[in-house]
Amino acid sequence: MVDRLSWSVAWRGLVRSKRLTALTLVVLSVSVILVIFLTALIDGLERDLVEETTGAIAHVLIEPREREPIAWWEQAARGARDEGPLYLGERTTLTSKKGAINNWQRWSRLIDAFGPEIRGVSPAAEGQGFTIRGEKREAVRLYGVEPRRYDQLVPIQDNLVEGRFYELGPGEITIGYRLAETMGVGLGDRLKVNTAEGTGRSMRIVGLFDTGFGGVDNATVLMRLGDGQSLLGLGSSVNAIGIEVENVFQANRVAEQLQRQIPYTVTSWIADNERLLRALEGQGRSSDLIIFFTAVAAAFAIASILIVLVTNKLQEIGILKAMGATRHQIRAVFALQGALLSLAGGALGATVGVGVVRLLSTVQGPPTASGRAEPLFSFELGPELVVGTVVGAVLIGLVASLVPARRASHVNPIAVIQNG
Amino acid sequence: MADTTSPNRPHQADVEATDTILRLEDIRKTYTNGVAEEVLFGIDLEVNTGDFAVLIGKSGSGKTTLLNIIGLLDTPTSGRLFLDGRETSTLDEDERARLRREYIGFIFQSHLLLPDFNVLENVLMPCRIRGKAYEEAAHDRAVEMLQMVDLGEKIQAPVTKLSGGQQQRVATVRAFANAPTVVLADEPTGSLDSKTSQAVMRLMRDINQETGTAFLMVTHDPELTDYADRVIELRDGRVASDTT
């Protein structure tokens, strides 16, 4: 327990030793600013990298199983070859079954039932295709989607440059602004949309979007699910169900759980991005090392300064001990000084650190072609980082005060009194 | 060990005048810094309530060592020391600290005040060490004693702004703030001029007579023995004489 004696001696000591107190506060504040700034910057970078990677794709994707060769006797039934036996050495063109997910509504309900870790489920009829206007021809990815569901996977509605997305009607498409530029089309223009198999239809552009993801803005054509199913020949089926999860790093676990219940191929984004994950882990370790060494440096600084404070106060410690102060009371003085210094330094550093981060967050980078402006620095600053750093600083202060506090508690009052 | 005594404990004047406060039995002290050096050779001594004793002797006779042992700042190599009937040689450092703050007041040759605190806070510091209740209980008496030594106007002043004589008077008052059973003084007037020395001695004598607090004072100044009613002479680590 800390009593009035320890409080008063600790506080007066800090107030009287203005220079040392100020020096400690500066050291601590700078350490806390460094930790907050670097952590927020590294976390922001990690968030951006993950968002850049996962922002335009489903975190978990359900697809039909790998295409299976059609047996030779089925080929004949489908008219792919003539009736009759297949002889050794005979050449034949193997076709394949078109993969599809039937009764997707059932699987969608099952996925929704997983709970809060699922943020969105979007069925899609998707495939490769082309947009054609006059002589111009661009390879694109065609998506037949339910707009509101798809918007949970890829943010289209909020990134509309003009036009609409949610209220797509039959024969209407929303496309990336870059694709529109390439094709030389604008809102209200018609564009021929062909599948890779050659099926095509003329559709009217009712929306242009700028998501910031190059692959999406350059080569995506969005249409109603029914139009996509019709164009790609899927009937009432879909060939993909995309899932957005709450925590992108839990995507593997969600995929594994789903795989046990769904008779299709379930993959997570992580499986295709292991190098990125390893890079993020490496970056995380670097960040931890920086924080560790900053904390160690701060701890040594506090300990050094407290040792100087103890040395300066040897006589007073001796007087207090001669008058009956216990070792616990003396230790409490320096533990309190360590805690007070680190709390004040932590609070000051956190205030300045948060201020610096917020200030730099407002600095905008050069705008994109569509006039979209992004912050020059990307920070991830949450209350847990600020509170955690201040709590960490106080703990470091307490730990750093242990050695000087112990030294003070062992001062021999006789030596001090005789030298007084 | 908890400090269980009341902050409003009756003062020593209420205690029977012949009570033995301190009893030393065959106290010996040997310093062993490479070579063993024996400083005290079997001291037997009793100090009673109301005693105003002066401890004299040449340099190196063991006066300060004996005072440190009696004040529980140092431990004897052998022998037993009883404080208010309690044997102290087996106590650990913190237990001795608690006995010090409960029973003993110190006046050092150098005033040894705490520069971060003002006059009144310095006087009340032994009480603050014991706890808030003791500090509050001693407040009015501390102010009264400071007024007695002409420092009533300075109670809020920083001690660093006082003269040497004023500082020693603050240190003297501090020794009584906690109503100790015995006050140990190591050449309390050693750094003072003659006039201030006499004022401090009169103050100590007045308090001794008013409260019955026992005094044991080390001094080189033979004139100060005039204030004492008991003179103990140490010679080569032994009690050479003990006269009243």
Side-chain angles (χ1 to χ4, degrees):
Chain A
M1 204 183 81
V2 177
D3 59 13
R4 185 172 153 81
L5 172 83
S6 304
W7 271 110
S8 59
V9 176
W11 179 251
R12 296 289 174 85
L14 291 177
V15 171
R16 290 267 297 190
S17 308
K18 288 188 181 71
R19 285 186 183 174
L20 281 175
T21 303
L23 181 64
T24 318
L25 289 179
V26 168
V27 169
L28 263 161
S29 302
V30 170
S31 304
V32 168
I33 291 169
L34 265 177
V35 168
I36 287 179
F37 181 80
L38 287 174
T39 308
L41 191 64
I42 290 168
D43 286 354
L45 187 61
E46 178 181 309
R47 182 202 58 203
D48 279 3
L49 277 170
V50 171
E51 274 183 8
E52 189 66 34
T53 307
T54 65
I57 59 170
H59 298 157
V60 176
L61 187 63
I62 300 173
E63 293 174 298
R65 290 198 183 279
E66 286 290 310
R67 290 181 170 186
E68 298 160 8
I70 299 174
W72 63 269
W73 58 86
E74 286 183 315
Q75 290 177 23
R78 288 168 174 241
R81 62 181 293 273
D82 295 335
E83 293 275 358
L86 186 68
Y87 296 103
L88 190 65
E90 182 182 348
R91 286 174 180 267
T92 180
T93 305
L94 288 179
T95 58
S96 56
K97 289 179 179 174
K98 186 169 277 184
I101 299 170
N102 302 315
N103 197 8
W104 61 266
Q105 294 88 344
R106 177 190 164 200
W107 305 118
S108 178
R109 280 194 299 274
L110 185 140
I111 298 161
D112 280 333
F114 257 65
E117 60 190 322
I118 304 291
R119 215 157 62 183
V121 181
S122 175
E126 63 176 77
Q128 297 296 339
F130 300 94
T131 50
I132 302 163
R133 183 178 164 90
E135 296 298 312
K136 286 185 180 165
R137 186 183 171 91
E138 272 304 305
V140 295
R141 187 85 184 155
L142 307 175
Y143 289 91
V145 297
E146 293 188 342
R148 286 175 194 277
R149 282 176 175 265
Y150 186 75
D151 203 47
Q152 293 172 322
L153 264 61
V154 185
I156 300 295
Q157 181 70 20
D158 286 346
N159 291 308
L160 281 174
V161 178
E162 54 182 332
R164 55 193 161 83
F165 173 57
Y166 277 176
E167 296 81 19
L168 277 177
E172 293 178 341
I173 53 172
T174 297
I175 64 173
Y177 82 97
R178 285 189 178 172
L179 176 62
E181 281 176 359
T182 308
M183 297 300 295
V185 294
L187 208 62
D189 291 340
R190 297 197 77 85
L191 198 60
K192 187 162 186 209
V193 179
N194 271 19
T195 66
E197 285 78 19
T199 320
R201 131 173 226 202
S202 173
M203 304 184 87
R204 194 163 65 90
I205 301 166
V206 296
L208 299 176
F209 56 79
D210 172 16
T211 62
F213 299 108
V216 178
D217 297 340
N218 276 324
T220 297
V221 174
L222 299 171
M223 60 192 75
R224 287 185 342 137
L225 181 60
D227 284 350
Q229 287 168 324
S230 165
L231 202 59
L232 293 160
L234 290 168
S236 61
S237 302
V238 297
N239 57 4
I241 299 176
I243 299 167
E244 183 91 349
V245 295
E246 193 63 39
N247 181 350
V248 291
F249 296 105
Q250 294 297 316
N252 262 351
R253 188 179 54 75
V254 173
E256 283 166 14
Q257 287 178 347
L258 284 172
Q259 186 65 84
R260 286 196 284 271
Q261 301 177 44
I262 295 177
Y264 300 104
T265 302
V266 184
T267 52
S268 94
W269 72 276
I270 293 173
D272 295 331
N273 293 277
E274 280 186 5
R275 285 182 66 182
L276 172 73
L277 275 180
R278 278 203 296 275
L280 289 177
E281 281 169 9
Q283 183 178 284
R285 279 194 293 274
S286 307
S287 168
D288 292 345
L289 278 176
I290 291 169
I291 292 167
F292 173 76
F293 285 118
T294 308
V296 168
F300 273 109
I302 299 168
S304 308
I305 292 165
L306 283 177
I307 285 170
V308 174
L309 272 175
V310 168
T311 308
N312 290 349
K313 296 285 174 188
L314 279 180
Q315 189 179 61
E316 286 155 73
I317 295 164
I319 297 167
L320 289 169
K321 288 192 78 177
M323 288 192 294
T326 60
R327 284 175 297 185
H328 171 78
Q329 286 175 308
I330 300 297
R331 275 197 300 268
V333 169
F334 292 93
L336 259 177
Q337 287 190 334
L340 287 171
L341 282 170
S342 48
L343 184 63
L348 182 66
T351 307
V352 176
V354 169
V356 168
V357 166
R358 289 208 171 143
L359 186 69
L360 290 175
S361 298
T362 61
V363 178
Q364 297 289 318
T368 62
S370 68
R372 179 195 186 88
E374 298 279 354
L376 191 59
F377 299 100
S378 185
F379 293 102
E380 177 77 20
L381 181 66
E384 63 279 358
L385 171 61
V386 180
V387 173
T389 307
V390 174
V391 170
V394 173
L395 289 177
I396 287 167
L398 278 173
V399 171
S401 70
L402 290 180
V403 171
R406 184 178 154 76
R407 184 176 173 219
S409 73
H410 284 88
V411 165
N412 179 0
I414 297 174
V416 174
I417 290 163
Q418 285 174 347
N419 293 330
Chain B
M1 189 176 73
D3 197 348
T4 53
T5 56
S6 161
N8 299 311
R9 187 178 61 181
H11 212 269
Q12 299 307 313
D14 302 329
V15 179
E16 196 179 329
T18 55
D19 280 354
T20 298
I21 298 302
L22 280 166
R23 192 167 84 245
L24 284 71
E25 293 179 358
D26 195 24
I27 292 292
R28 293 171 184 274
K29 182 69 180 180
T30 304
Y31 290 112
T32 49
N33 293 328
V35 182
E37 183 190 359
E38 199 161 2
V39 179
L40 297 176
F41 298 84
I43 303 285
D44 293 300
L45 195 67
E46 283 189 357
V47 176
N48 301 316
T49 302
D51 275 359
F52 196 95
V54 170
L55 192 59
I56 59 171
K58 290 181 180 171
S59 284
S61 60
K63 303 184 299 293
T64 299
T65 300
L66 182 61
L67 205 67
N68 287 339
I69 289 172
I70 291 172
L72 306 180
L73 294 170
D74 200 356
T75 51
T77 307
S78 66
R80 297 199 298 173
L81 168 65
F82 294 87
L83 176 61
D84 201 20
R86 180 166 183 181
E87 220 275 276
T88 62
S89 55
T90 55
L91 302 178
D92 68 18
E93 190 183 329
D94 281 343
E95 287 171 326
R96 282 188 277 120
R98 289 190 180 96
L99 278 185
R100 271 204 300 279
R101 69 191 185 194
E102 191 178 331
Y103 284 96
I104 302 170
F106 287 98
I107 306 172
F108 306 105
Q109 182 174 2
S110 172
H111 52 79
L112 294 181
L113 298 174
L114 301 168
D116 295 347
F117 294 87
N118 66 29
V119 168
L120 183 60
E121 287 172 323
N122 262 280
V123 168
L124 288 171
M125 194 54 71
C127 310
R128 185 173 289 188
I129 290 170
R130 290 183 80 176
K132 193 179 172 188
Y134 291 91
E135 188 177 356
E136 286 171 355
H139 180 273
D140 292 347
R141 179 168 166 74
V143 172
E144 191 184 320
M145 285 197 295
L146 284 168
Q147 284 164 346
M148 280 170 60
V149 296
D150 297 329
L151 289 170
E153 303 294 316
K154 304 267 187 185
I155 58 173
Q156 298 298 335
V159 289
T160 49
K161 301 285 183 192
L162 302 182
S163 68
Q166 287 173 323
Q167 287 178 336
Q168 193 62 354
R169 275 183 277 162
V170 173
T172 305
V173 172
R174 179 179 66 183
F176 300 103
N178 212 18
T181 309
V182 59
V183 170
L184 305 175
D186 190 0
E187 307 219 32
T189 59
S191 58
L192 302 179
D193 59 49
S194 165
K195 188 181 167 191
T196 312
S197 293
Q198 287 176 11
V200 168
M201 286 305 295
R202 273 197 302 275
L203 171 67
M204 290 197 290
R205 188 64 182 154
D206 288 348
I207 291 171
N208 163 255
Q209 288 180 340
E210 183 194 331
T211 65
T213 304
F215 269 78
L216 185 58
M217 182 173 67
V218 167
T219 184
H220 276 110
D221 187 349
E223 285 185 17
L224 298 186
T225 57
D226 295 343
Y227 290 90
D229 47 30
R230 184 178 171 192
V231 178
I232 303 160
E233 185 183 2
L234 276 192
R235 193 178 300 152
D236 298 330
R238 293 181 176 85
V239 176
S241 64
D242 184 352
T243 56
T244 52

